[in-house]
Amino acid sequence: MFIKVLDQSTINKIAAGEVVERPASVVKELVENAIDAGANAITVEIKDGGTSFIRVTDNGKGIEKDDIQVAFLRHSTSKIETDKDLFSISTLGFRGEALASIAAISQMELITKTNDSLCGYRYVIEGGIEKKFEEIGVPNGTTFIVKNMFFNTPARKKFLKSETTEAGYIGELIEHLALSRPDIAFTFINSGKTKLHTPMNGTLKDVIYAIYGKEIATNLLNLDYDDGYIKLSGYVAKPIIERGNRKFENYFINKRFISNNTVINAIEDAYEPYLMSHKFPFTCFMIEIANDKIDVNVHPTKMEMRFMENDKVYEAINTAISKALEDRIIPQVSITPTPKKEEPVKNVKPNVPQPFETNRIKDYSYVTTVDELIGSAKAVVKEENIIEYKPEIKEIPEPESVPDNDCFIIDRDYTIIGQVFDTYWMVECENNLFIIDQHAAHEKVLYEQLVNAINKQKCDSQALLPPIVISLSLKEEDCLKNNMSIFNELGFEIEHFGGKEYYVRAVPMQLYGCDAKQLLLEVLDNLISESTTNDIVSRKEKLASMSCKAAIKGNTRISYAEAKELLDKLLKLENPYNCPHGRPVIISMTKYEMDKKFRRIL
Ligand code: ADP
Ligand code: MG
């Protein structure tokens, strides 16, 4: 008899509450139990997002007959005895309440056999009430089946999201568990389809390949660091792999997938010189640190932890990643030099050389971000009070004769004066100087064209020859499938190629010429990270806006003729002033304001 009931003081030290929030929490508990039982092959099977059916099978050590009923008691665990053990836990589960909590709200079945036992056992418990306990012939290991979650507490079922979303949470969880244990083969089957299979005794890189596909697996840099205080091992991806959300930043603290701000900051600061703002890297590495250097706080559904010495941890992770990134950067001569930024990029460690601006553009489509430039324009507005955004123009107090401020230019003649900073077009129109952001203008025009085409239900596609192959993660795949009809309506043609690979055969006419692969990945990332509405119209508009935003990246230089065409289109729009993401497209200064500034008029 190895399983004991915890004493009351220990129970009190463990935050009370519900373990079981959603199907993913059940899967987490059951898989962690399987890992703790020494399994090296774990299969998770779900139906209907896990709400109607979850089965977790392992080849671990099994549960002794005498322990079976005890295991389902609250606070029964074989893993710790007193609260002291809480701080030196090496196993994953330790609260001893998972099985009791899951059994209380579902119809649960346990089939298990230990190595030494001649036969196995089947135990059925529904809503916490034992229904069956019988002998059964089964292989070594344990299978848990959880049916109809919340069948006896229907109110809690209402808090669940759609089955696809719940399945997504489970998929993501299993990905993290698989990454944390390359020595265990994980199989995930959703509604009869195998979604993930990782090799047993694989290396971390094999698991990354199985989950994220070839593109990421072939762009990894080794991370290997050990200063005696903290040890890091695993991979960080080259900055060419950039994503629209933080979900690709994987790290495991003493084998656990735990979110920690110090680690996030260290990662993102190291990548800062190489990634545009709002872009996030891919990482997957293990952090090993002595248990007495961390402070673990046990929460009913999650585990929080803090490092005792944040600075040391930050420094180690930041330095190791900076070094890995720095080692691979080979400066290249640029074709289109742009002026170097004067301000050093903040948070860059002194030993990280800044790649030339131009090199970045060539390599990874880095740009001097429009945001920064707009930011400085805003600063000018404040300081000098001379440039005003259009909506504010009308509010300029008027002491004298009234100049022609009612300026807008639709259907009026205008003269393009030229371009500055490879980004802004100066346009003279009657008594106004307009400064137009080329990227925002392009984005705005593309967006309006796409939305227009959707509304008229005639989006033209442009075929890509040859088609492009993209490999998607589980989540991206689901997201694509859920939105496939909208992608099609917009003019994308995407087809399953096999495994995680998809063919992109066509893109919307308006987006032809852009980097279709990057575009799609970015749009999918955005869709995943934003809570998308079910309203089909706003979803379409959102997709259109994301698509064009992704399409116009890069500090492209355009010719006078191209600019003319773009400005003609822009200035015909009903509202040319703001891009679909709310940034200004045009700022203006009137002749009157200029005259005032030069004190020609008082
Ligand atoms: P905890 O994992 O916190 O100890 P649980 O309620 O999850 O508590 O599990 C209770 C006990 O049941 C565990 O301590 C373990 O002894 C046993 N157990 C649960 N799942 C398995 C499994 N898959 N294989 C072997 N033993 C298991
Ligand atoms: Mg457990």
PDB file of all heavy atoms in Angstrom, residues 81-106:
ATOM      1  N   GLU A  81       4.232  13.204   1.132  1.00  0.00           N
ATOM      2  CA  GLU A  81       3.652  12.842   2.418  1.00  0.00           C
ATOM      3  C   GLU A  81       3.358  14.055   3.273  1.00  0.00           C
ATOM      4  O   GLU A  81       2.370  14.102   3.978  1.00  0.00           O
ATOM      5  CB  GLU A  81       4.575  11.868   3.143  1.00  0.00           C
ATOM      6  CG  GLU A  81       4.552  10.509   2.463  1.00  0.00           C
ATOM      7  CD  GLU A  81       5.328   9.468   3.204  1.00  0.00           C
ATOM      8  OE1 GLU A  81       5.436   9.585   4.431  1.00  0.00           O
ATOM      9  OE2 GLU A  81       5.829   8.544   2.550  1.00  0.00           O
ATOM     10  N   THR A  82       4.243  15.058   3.235  1.00  0.00           N
ATOM     11  CA  THR A  82       4.007  16.250   4.045  1.00  0.00           C
ATOM     12  C   THR A  82       4.214  17.489   3.198  1.00  0.00           C
ATOM     13  O   THR A  82       4.661  17.401   2.061  1.00  0.00           O
ATOM     14  CB  THR A  82       5.002  16.345   5.219  1.00  0.00           C
ATOM     15  OG1 THR A  82       6.256  16.769   4.696  1.00  0.00           O
ATOM     16  CG2 THR A  82       5.144  15.032   5.939  1.00  0.00           C
ATOM     17  N   ASP A  83       3.906  18.644   3.808  1.00  0.00           N
ATOM     18  CA  ASP A  83       4.033  19.880   3.041  1.00  0.00           C
ATOM     19  C   ASP A  83       5.486  20.175   2.673  1.00  0.00           C
ATOM     20  O   ASP A  83       5.756  20.871   1.707  1.00  0.00           O
ATOM     21  CB  ASP A  83       3.438  21.048   3.806  1.00  0.00           C
ATOM     22  CG  ASP A  83       4.140  21.285   5.111  1.00  0.00           C
ATOM     23  OD1 ASP A  83       3.911  20.489   6.028  1.00  0.00           O
ATOM     24  OD2 ASP A  83       4.926  22.239   5.193  1.00  0.00           O
ATOM     25  N   LYS A  84       6.439  19.654   3.395  1.00  0.00           N
ATOM     26  CA  LYS A  84       7.850  19.893   3.069  1.00  0.00           C
ATOM     27  C   LYS A  84       8.155  19.402   1.650  1.00  0.00           C
ATOM     28  O   LYS A  84       8.932  19.983   0.923  1.00  0.00           O
ATOM     29  CB  LYS A  84       8.764  19.167   4.062  1.00  0.00           C
ATOM     30  CG  LYS A  84       8.602  19.655   5.473  1.00  0.00           C
ATOM     31  CD  LYS A  84       9.930  19.863   6.167  1.00  0.00           C
ATOM     32  CE  LYS A  84       9.768  20.626   7.467  1.00  0.00           C
ATOM     33  NZ  LYS A  84       8.454  20.458   8.125  1.00  0.00           N
ATOM     34  N   ASP A  85       7.487  18.296   1.307  1.00  0.00           N
ATOM     35  CA  ASP A  85       7.746  17.718  -0.007  1.00  0.00           C
ATOM     36  C   ASP A  85       7.278  18.618  -1.144  1.00  0.00           C
ATOM     37  O   ASP A  85       7.723  18.496  -2.269  1.00  0.00           O
ATOM     38  CB  ASP A  85       7.027  16.362  -0.144  1.00  0.00           C
ATOM     39  CG  ASP A  85       7.597  15.341   0.829  1.00  0.00           C
ATOM     40  OD1 ASP A  85       8.696  15.578   1.351  1.00  0.00           O
ATOM     41  OD2 ASP A  85       6.927  14.318   1.053  1.00  0.00           O
ATOM     42  N   LEU A  86       6.364  19.525  -0.825  1.00  0.00           N
ATOM     43  CA  LEU A  86       5.825  20.386  -1.865  1.00  0.00           C
ATOM     44  C   LEU A  86       6.929  21.166  -2.567  1.00  0.00           C
ATOM     45  O   LEU A  86       6.810  21.541  -3.717  1.00  0.00           O
ATOM     46  CB  LEU A  86       4.849  21.410  -1.260  1.00  0.00           C
ATOM     47  CG  LEU A  86       3.417  20.964  -1.039  1.00  0.00           C
ATOM     48  CD1 LEU A  86       2.642  22.078  -0.385  1.00  0.00           C
ATOM     49  CD2 LEU A  86       2.769  20.579  -2.352  1.00  0.00           C
ATOM     50  N   PHE A  87       7.996  21.450  -1.855  1.00  0.00           N
ATOM     51  CA  PHE A  87       9.038  22.307  -2.407  1.00  0.00           C
ATOM     52  C   PHE A  87      10.137  21.536  -3.118  1.00  0.00           C
ATOM     53  O   PHE A  87      11.071  22.092  -3.624  1.00  0.00           O
ATOM     54  CB  PHE A  87       9.606  23.212  -1.310  1.00  0.00           C
ATOM     55  CG  PHE A  87       8.523  24.078  -0.739  1.00  0.00           C
ATOM     56  CD1 PHE A  87       7.854  23.717   0.417  1.00  0.00           C
ATOM     57  CD2 PHE A  87       8.114  25.218  -1.413  1.00  0.00           C
ATOM     58  CE1 PHE A  87       6.815  24.486   0.908  1.00  0.00           C
ATOM     59  CE2 PHE A  87       7.079  25.987  -0.933  1.00  0.00           C
ATOM     60  CZ  PHE A  87       6.432  25.629   0.235  1.00  0.00           C
ATOM     61  N   SER A  88      10.037  20.260  -3.113  1.00  0.00           N
ATOM     62  CA  SER A  88      11.059  19.502  -3.830  1.00  0.00           C
ATOM     63  C   SER A  88      10.401  18.414  -4.671  1.00  0.00           C
ATOM     64  O   SER A  88      10.790  17.265  -4.637  1.00  0.00           O
ATOM     65  CB  SER A  88      12.036  18.883  -2.832  1.00  0.00           C
ATOM     66  OG  SER A  88      11.307  18.126  -1.893  1.00  0.00           O
ATOM     67  N   ILE A  89       9.374  18.854  -5.374  1.00  0.00           N
ATOM     68  CA  ILE A  89       8.615  17.858  -6.126  1.00  0.00           C
ATOM     69  C   ILE A  89       9.307  17.545  -7.432  1.00  0.00           C
ATOM     70  O   ILE A  89       9.666  18.442  -8.176  1.00  0.00           O
ATOM     71  CB  ILE A  89       7.239  18.423  -6.500  1.00  0.00           C
ATOM     72  CG1 ILE A  89       6.601  19.072  -5.293  1.00  0.00           C
ATOM     73  CG2 ILE A  89       6.362  17.370  -7.105  1.00  0.00           C
ATOM     74  CD1 ILE A  89       5.788  20.271  -5.667  1.00  0.00           C
ATOM     75  N   SER A  90       9.479  16.277  -7.692  1.00  0.00           N
ATOM     76  CA  SER A  90      10.062  15.941  -8.982  1.00  0.00           C
ATOM     77  C   SER A  90       9.012  15.344  -9.903  1.00  0.00           C
ATOM     78  O   SER A  90       9.164  15.327 -11.106  1.00  0.00           O
ATOM     79  CB  SER A  90      11.212  14.960  -8.802  1.00  0.00           C
ATOM     80  OG  SER A  90      10.721  13.806  -8.165  1.00  0.00           O
ATOM     81  N   THR A  91       7.910  14.898  -9.324  1.00  0.00           N
ATOM     82  CA  THR A  91       6.843  14.382 -10.168  1.00  0.00           C
ATOM     83  C   THR A  91       5.925  15.534 -10.546  1.00  0.00           C
ATOM     84  O   THR A  91       6.025  16.620  -9.993  1.00  0.00           O
ATOM     85  CB  THR A  91       6.027  13.306  -9.439  1.00  0.00           C
ATOM     86  OG1 THR A  91       5.559  13.856  -8.224  1.00  0.00           O
ATOM     87  CG2 THR A  91       6.864  12.083  -9.156  1.00  0.00           C
ATOM     88  N   LEU A  92       5.031  15.287 -11.479  1.00  0.00           N
ATOM     89  CA  LEU A  92       4.188  16.370 -11.966  1.00  0.00           C
ATOM     90  C   LEU A  92       2.947  16.574 -11.098  1.00  0.00           C
ATOM     91  O   LEU A  92       2.633  17.658 -10.670  1.00  0.00           O
ATOM     92  CB  LEU A  92       3.787  16.101 -13.418  1.00  0.00           C
ATOM     93  CG  LEU A  92       4.964  16.092 -14.394  1.00  0.00           C
ATOM     94  CD1 LEU A  92       4.542  15.540 -15.735  1.00  0.00           C
ATOM     95  CD2 LEU A  92       5.534  17.490 -14.580  1.00  0.00           C
ATOM     96  N   GLY A  93       2.242  15.488 -10.842  1.00  0.00           N
ATOM     97  CA  GLY A  93       1.054  15.600  -9.993  1.00  0.00           C
ATOM     98  C   GLY A  93       1.474  15.430  -8.553  1.00  0.00           C
ATOM     99  O   GLY A  93       2.471  14.814  -8.261  1.00  0.00           O
ATOM    100  N   PHE A  94       0.769  16.037  -7.635  1.00  0.00           N
ATOM    101  CA  PHE A  94       1.130  15.862  -6.230  1.00  0.00           C
ATOM    102  C   PHE A  94       0.001  16.283  -5.316  1.00  0.00           C
ATOM    103  O   PHE A  94       0.046  16.101  -4.131  1.00  0.00           O
ATOM    104  CB  PHE A  94       2.384  16.670  -5.876  1.00  0.00           C
ATOM    105  CG  PHE A  94       2.312  18.072  -6.384  1.00  0.00           C
ATOM    106  CD1 PHE A  94       1.606  19.031  -5.697  1.00  0.00           C
ATOM    107  CD2 PHE A  94       2.907  18.404  -7.576  1.00  0.00           C
ATOM    108  CE1 PHE A  94       1.501  20.311  -6.203  1.00  0.00           C
ATOM    109  CE2 PHE A  94       2.799  19.678  -8.080  1.00  0.00           C
ATOM    110  CZ  PHE A  94       2.104  20.640  -7.395  1.00  0.00           C
ATOM    111  N   ARG A  95      -1.048  16.878  -5.897  1.00  0.00           N
ATOM    112  CA  ARG A  95      -2.119  17.359  -5.039  1.00  0.00           C
ATOM    113  C   ARG A  95      -3.016  16.221  -4.580  1.00  0.00           C
ATOM    114  O   ARG A  95      -3.720  16.350  -3.612  1.00  0.00           O
ATOM    115  CB  ARG A  95      -2.973  18.380  -5.782  1.00  0.00           C
ATOM    116  CG  ARG A  95      -2.235  19.629  -6.153  1.00  0.00           C
ATOM    117  CD  ARG A  95      -3.160  20.546  -6.908  1.00  0.00           C
ATOM    118  NE  ARG A  95      -3.628  19.904  -8.128  1.00  0.00           N
ATOM    119  CZ  ARG A  95      -3.072  20.096  -9.300  1.00  0.00           C
ATOM    120  NH1 ARG A  95      -2.045  20.897  -9.418  1.00  0.00           N
ATOM    121  NH2 ARG A  95      -3.533  19.488 -10.365  1.00  0.00           N
ATOM    122  N   GLY A  96      -2.982  15.150  -5.337  1.00  0.00           N
ATOM    123  CA  GLY A  96      -3.795  14.018  -4.956  1.00  0.00           C
ATOM    124  C   GLY A  96      -5.279  14.272  -5.036  1.00  0.00           C
ATOM    125  O   GLY A  96      -6.065  13.687  -4.305  1.00  0.00           O
ATOM    126  N   GLU A  97      -5.684  15.178  -5.912  1.00  0.00           N
ATOM    127  CA  GLU A  97      -7.122  15.411  -6.013  1.00  0.00           C
ATOM    128  C   GLU A  97      -7.654  15.277  -7.427  1.00  0.00           C
ATOM    129  O   GLU A  97      -8.856  15.428  -7.652  1.00  0.00           O
ATOM    130  CB  GLU A  97      -7.499  16.782  -5.436  1.00  0.00           C
ATOM    131  CG  GLU A  97      -6.759  17.938  -6.048  1.00  0.00           C
ATOM    132  CD  GLU A  97      -7.103  19.274  -5.384  1.00  0.00           C
ATOM    133  OE1 GLU A  97      -8.201  19.375  -4.823  1.00  0.00           O
ATOM    134  OE2 GLU A  97      -6.280  20.180  -5.457  1.00  0.00           O
ATOM    135  N   ALA A  98      -6.777  14.983  -8.375  1.00  0.00           N
ATOM    136  CA  ALA A  98      -7.226  14.955  -9.761  1.00  0.00           C
ATOM    137  C   ALA A  98      -8.268  13.866  -9.994  1.00  0.00           C
ATOM    138  O   ALA A  98      -9.370  14.149 -10.465  1.00  0.00           O
ATOM    139  CB  ALA A  98      -6.043  14.758 -10.698  1.00  0.00           C
ATOM    140  N   LEU A  99      -7.934  12.641  -9.653  1.00  0.00           N
ATOM    141  CA  LEU A  99      -8.854  11.547  -9.948  1.00  0.00           C
ATOM    142  C   LEU A  99     -10.191  11.757  -9.247  1.00  0.00           C
ATOM    143  O   LEU A  99     -11.250  11.560  -9.842  1.00  0.00           O
ATOM    144  CB  LEU A  99      -8.239  10.196  -9.567  1.00  0.00           C
ATOM    145  CG  LEU A  99      -6.996   9.785 -10.364  1.00  0.00           C
ATOM    146  CD1 LEU A  99      -6.585   8.356 -10.003  1.00  0.00           C
ATOM    147  CD2 LEU A  99      -7.230   9.905 -11.863  1.00  0.00           C
ATOM    148  N   ALA A 100     -10.137  12.188  -7.977  1.00  0.00           N
ATOM    149  CA  ALA A 100     -11.382  12.427  -7.232  1.00  0.00           C
ATOM    150  C   ALA A 100     -12.214  13.503  -7.934  1.00  0.00           C
ATOM    151  O   ALA A 100     -13.438  13.357  -8.094  1.00  0.00           O
ATOM    152  CB  ALA A 100     -11.054  12.862  -5.806  1.00  0.00           C
ATOM    153  N   SER A 101     -11.558  14.579  -8.364  1.00  0.00           N
ATOM    154  CA  SER A 101     -12.299  15.680  -8.983  1.00  0.00           C
ATOM    155  C   SER A 101     -12.890  15.269 -10.326  1.00  0.00           C
ATOM    156  O   SER A 101     -14.031  15.623 -10.642  1.00  0.00           O
ATOM    157  CB  SER A 101     -11.381  16.881  -9.223  1.00  0.00           C
ATOM    158  OG  SER A 101     -10.790  17.261  -8.016  1.00  0.00           O
ATOM    159  N   ILE A 102     -12.117  14.530 -11.109  1.00  0.00           N
ATOM    160  CA  ILE A 102     -12.621  14.134 -12.430  1.00  0.00           C
ATOM    161  C   ILE A 102     -13.780  13.147 -12.267  1.00  0.00           C
ATOM    162  O   ILE A 102     -14.816  13.265 -12.921  1.00  0.00           O
ATOM    163  CB  ILE A 102     -11.498  13.508 -13.294  1.00  0.00           C
ATOM    164  CG1 ILE A 102     -10.353  14.511 -13.499  1.00  0.00           C
ATOM    165  CG2 ILE A 102     -12.041  13.066 -14.650  1.00  0.00           C
ATOM    166  CD1 ILE A 102      -9.062  13.893 -14.022  1.00  0.00           C
ATOM    167  N   ALA A 103     -13.593  12.196 -11.333  1.00  0.00           N
ATOM    168  CA  ALA A 103     -14.643  11.182 -11.129  1.00  0.00           C
ATOM    169  C   ALA A 103     -15.947  11.827 -10.664  1.00  0.00           C
ATOM    170  O   ALA A 103     -17.033  11.344 -10.961  1.00  0.00           O
ATOM    171  CB  ALA A 103     -14.173  10.154 -10.107  1.00  0.00           C
ATOM    172  N   ALA A 104     -15.833  12.949  -9.951  1.00  0.00           N
ATOM    173  CA  ALA A 104     -17.027  13.601  -9.412  1.00  0.00           C
ATOM    174  C   ALA A 104     -17.925  14.186 -10.490  1.00  0.00           C
ATOM    175  O   ALA A 104     -19.124  14.318 -10.302  1.00  0.00           O
ATOM    176  CB  ALA A 104     -16.617  14.702  -8.433  1.00  0.00           C
ATOM    177  N   ILE A 105     -17.338  14.534 -11.637  1.00  0.00           N
ATOM    178  CA  ILE A 105     -18.143  15.243 -12.640  1.00  0.00           C
ATOM    179  C   ILE A 105     -18.259  14.487 -13.963  1.00  0.00           C
ATOM    180  O   ILE A 105     -18.626  15.072 -14.987  1.00  0.00           O
ATOM    181  CB  ILE A 105     -17.590  16.667 -12.903  1.00  0.00           C
ATOM    182  CG1 ILE A 105     -16.073  16.649 -13.166  1.00  0.00           C
ATOM    183  CG2 ILE A 105     -17.862  17.587 -11.727  1.00  0.00           C
ATOM    184  CD1 ILE A 105     -15.662  16.425 -14.550  1.00  0.00           C
ATOM    185  N   SER A 106     -17.928  13.201 -13.954  1.00  0.00           N
ATOM    186  CA  SER A 106     -17.998  12.468 -15.226  1.00  0.00           C
ATOM    187  C   SER A 106     -18.319  11.008 -14.973  1.00  0.00           C
ATOM    188  O   SER A 106     -18.469  10.576 -13.830  1.00  0.00           O
ATOM    189  CB  SER A 106     -16.657  12.574 -15.953  1.00  0.00           C
ATOM    190  OG  SER A 106     -15.687  11.832 -15.236  1.00  0.00           O
TER     191      SER A 106
END
